[in-house]
Amino acid sequence: MYYTYSDKEHPALEDISFDLAPGERVALVGPSGAGKSTIVNLLLRFWDYREGVIYLGGHELKRYSPEDLRRLLGVVTQHTHLFNATIRENLLLARPGASEEELIAAARRARIHDFIQTLPRGYDTCVGEGGFKLSGGQRQRLAIARVLLKNAPILVLDEATAGLDPVTEREVMDAVYSLMQGRTTLVITHRLVGLEVMDEILVLDGGRVVERGRHEDLLRHNGLYRRLWELQHQVLAG
Ligand SMILES: Nc1ncnc2c1ncn2[C@@H]1O[C@H](COP(=O)(O)OP(=O)(O)OP(=O)(O)O)[C@@H](O)[C@H]1O
Ligand SMILES: [Mg+2]
């Protein structure tokens, strides 16, 4: 696919093509501004790409209506939108018929249930612009609980654990990885952690795929992935 934002001269994405087959796990990695979130927006059909293809479950993406996509995709992005409503209502949006047990199970798996319990009105606390102010990490965990509840066949996680401390991140990622089992998943991250389980990793830089393959192949290849990986592991060790 190719994509240029209307206010930009240079394309944000050039010559990108990949296949997300049923049950497969693909990761998009690369430095900030590489074009990762742009791909997610195209996947959600906020905008349409000009050339190239995205296959979803063996069908070209453009054959799905935005409504179909919303049903098929469970999305956690960098920007979690909460409605001016209670926590319960925000969670139930994902699956209006969910029972209280299902709600709590999803919140537990997303490591947010205990926090909700500490609020004076619990699940009936109003959040959103006019309500109780949640931290970035608490919002992320609510978004993850929402996706767990929705139980969509395809998961799209764009920096899903951004804003979490390393310990909580590890816990939430464990929940997310267990959810990924046998499910089509697109993971977007610039943190190269836990990517050994991916079927394919696309390394983006400046809107292009500069490397692709599995974690161990990319490490052996000695390119951008390896450099990013070494840099992060130095930082982690230091
Ligand atoms: N809504 C927009 N309008 C115009 N340009 C945009 C828009 N969103 C992103 N861009 C530009 O497109 C390029 C790719 O941005 P994108 O958000 O896809 O990067 P990213 O890989 O997700 O980065 P990050 O790791 O920081 O989230 C950047 O040069 C950015 O400035
Ligand atoms: Mg992004």
Side-chain angles (χ1 to χ4, degrees):
M1 75 200 84
Y2 287 75
Y3 192 75
T4 307
Y5 286 102
S6 54
D7 61 343
K8 294 270 161 66
E9 218 173 293
H10 295 288
L13 296 177
E14 281 182 85
D15 197 18
I16 290 179
S17 220
F18 63 94
D19 190 2
L20 190 59
E24 257 191 12
R25 288 174 270 183
V26 171
L28 304 176
V29 305
S32 189
K36 305 182 297 293
S37 296
T38 302
I39 293 181
V40 173
N41 290 332
L42 295 179
L43 199 55
L44 298 176
R45 299 204 59 190
F46 286 153
W47 310 299
D48 273 328
Y49 44 93
R50 195 156 48 82
E51 289 168 60
V53 282
I54 307 176
Y55 285 105
L56 207 60
H59 299 290
E60 227 275 314
L61 186 75
K62 285 179 181 171
R63 287 181 48 190
Y64 293 87
S65 69
E67 292 70 38
D68 287 340
L69 286 175
R70 270 196 287 278
R71 194 172 41 75
L72 284 170
L73 300 170
V75 184
V76 181
T77 67
Q78 291 163 292
H79 312 285
T80 297
H81 181 73
L82 296 175
F83 294 91
N84 283 314
T86 65
I87 290 179
R88 175 178 286 108
E89 286 162 339
N90 268 285
L91 287 173
L92 283 177
L93 277 176
R95 186 144 56 97
S99 70
E100 188 72 11
E101 289 71 38
E102 289 169 324
L103 204 76
I104 291 172
R108 277 193 201 283
R109 284 175 69 192
R111 304 293 189 276
I112 189 70
H113 173 75
D114 290 346
F115 165 75
I116 295 170
Q117 291 294 291
T118 68
L119 299 171
R121 307 205 55 201
Y123 282 84
D124 295 313
T125 304
C126 279
V127 291
E129 274 161 49
F132 187 87
K133 295 283 179 282
L134 297 172
S135 75
Q138 289 157 352
R139 297 166 74 91
Q140 285 310 96
R141 282 181 280 167
L142 267 190
I144 290 167
R146 199 146 69 178
V147 161
L148 290 168
L149 201 60
K150 183 171 176 184
N151 209 13
I154 301 164
L155 281 180
V156 178
L157 309 166
D158 186 357
E159 308 285 358
T161 55
L164 300 182
D165 64 85
V167 175
T168 313
E169 176 180 40
R170 190 68 257 166
E171 285 180 5
V172 172
M173 277 318 283
D174 286 346
V176 167
Y177 278 122
S178 77
L179 185 78
M180 279 185 202
Q181 298 293 333
R183 211 182 295 254
T184 312
T185 312
L186 187 65
V187 176
I188 291 94
T189 182
H190 59 255
R191 310 233 316 126
L192 308 186
V193 175
L195 297 180
E196 297 81 1
V197 302
M198 295 294 151
D199 295 299
E200 187 175 34
I201 301 168
L202 276 76
V203 186
L204 292 167
D205 195 17
R208 288 178 170 277
V209 176
V210 293
E211 291 172 298
R212 66 200 298 167
R214 293 186 60 100
H215 171 77
E216 56 273 25
D217 304 327
L218 291 171
L219 273 191
R220 233 179 291 128
H221 185 252
N222 249 326
L224 179 60
Y225 186 86
R226 169 135 203 150
R227 283 208 301 283
L228 292 172
W229 190 83
E230 281 179 346
L231 207 64
Q232 286 184 13
H233 286 258
Q234 271 170 21
V235 171
L236 289 178

